[in-house]
Amino acid sequence: MNKKLSSIIKVKKSQAGAKKRANSIFTAMSVAHVDDDDIIGKPTKMQGETISKGHKNYELMLNLQLGIRTLRKLFKVDPADYMISICGDDALRLLSSPGKSGSFFYSTNDDKYMIKTMKKSEVKVLLRMLQAYYNHVRAFENTLVTKFFGLHCVKMSGHAHKKVRFVIMGNLFCTEYAIHRRFDLKGSSQGRLTDKPESEIDSTTTLKDLDLNYIFRLQKSWFQEFCRQVDRDCNFLEQERIMDYSLLVGIHFIQISRTGEPLTTETSISQVQSLSGDGEEVSGEASPELSRLGMNMPARAELGTRGNDSELFMEPTGEYYDVILILGIIDILQDYDISKKLEHAYKSFHYDPTSISAVDPSQYSRRFRDFILRIFRQDST
């Protein structure tokens, strides 16, 4: 048996073993939010009917079975590596309890993928926009929108026969650089301030628009491409009637003190320490081959101040920090449905309509772009 054939057989065996372990992994995903008697049911016989060409659900099946698989191929995801990451021996990590969305978030042990439980309405949105999404990410390799790799539904046994729907996405913060600060930015101000006291805020806290105290300055080539891609991505989301998305920004400060505080660019080298994600010291520059739009982007973060706690925009102070930025557009499965329209109508009576998140997709896109392109600016140095 030649070496190549032997290698192929080993990969096939590894994939088969990973598939067998999938049920136990999915069980681990669900125990945090189902009753004790709700466990993954192992079917004793084949149920349902085979969907063949001509069936009313044939096109839907193709979208599920082939559409997402085609995306993995487009994103150059190796099938064996993907299976091992999702269904390997290592358990998933529960990252957070559900917020307003009610979704749970998990991470694979290798940090490559995020798994999010979904509402039925979100699944419908993804299936509806799947073809347009595929065309968009295919046309724009540097798109900032979330990368989807899988869409699944698990039916639980028990009296409720509960279904758990979940999507598998790329983990934006799978990087060699430690994330010292992270922000979820929508361009709105109502409810966009963290409710944690300063003493409880750390590198794992996701801060919001009114917590942001930096203006990000990009080199000319980075800035021009960033502006173009934000426009392209927002146009796509607007055409698909999507709103309520965010720009997730992770900041790695190149120079930090021995106690972990960010240091300005004028700081003496003897006070500087830069850490990678695993705690080891790394050089201050992002490797050119690892940098691309949205991932490991070199920039300068200028400290900003705002007049009061309700103002979105800041005045620059001239105090700079050398940083590496990791960013992308997330939460792109909320369309402007009846619930969002009612939310908009209700909140408009109580707050400034321009300050709330729930607005129609055209207005949301316009406001989002205006905000993002005011906190990201071209570096003049």
Side-chain angles (χ1 to χ4, degrees), residues 216-233:
F216 303 108
R217 300 196 178 274
L218 304 175
Q219 297 170 4
K220 183 178 180 180
S221 58
W222 283 115
F223 178 73
Q224 291 177 341
E225 179 57 26
F226 176 74
C227 291
R228 285 193 293 265
Q229 196 56 54
V230 167
D231 280 339
R232 293 164 183 157
D233 291 340

Side-chain angles (χ1 to χ4, degrees), residues 320-347:
Y320 293 94
Y321 303 84
D322 288 329
V323 299
I324 300 295
L325 298 179
I326 298 94
L327 53 89
I329 297 175
I330 64 169
D331 295 337
I332 64 169
L333 297 179
Q334 177 60 62
D335 61 355
Y336 196 50
D337 59 14
I338 186 62
S339 66
K340 287 297 179 181
K341 291 175 182 177
L342 290 173
E343 181 183 342
H344 173 78
Y346 173 78
K347 288 187 176 179

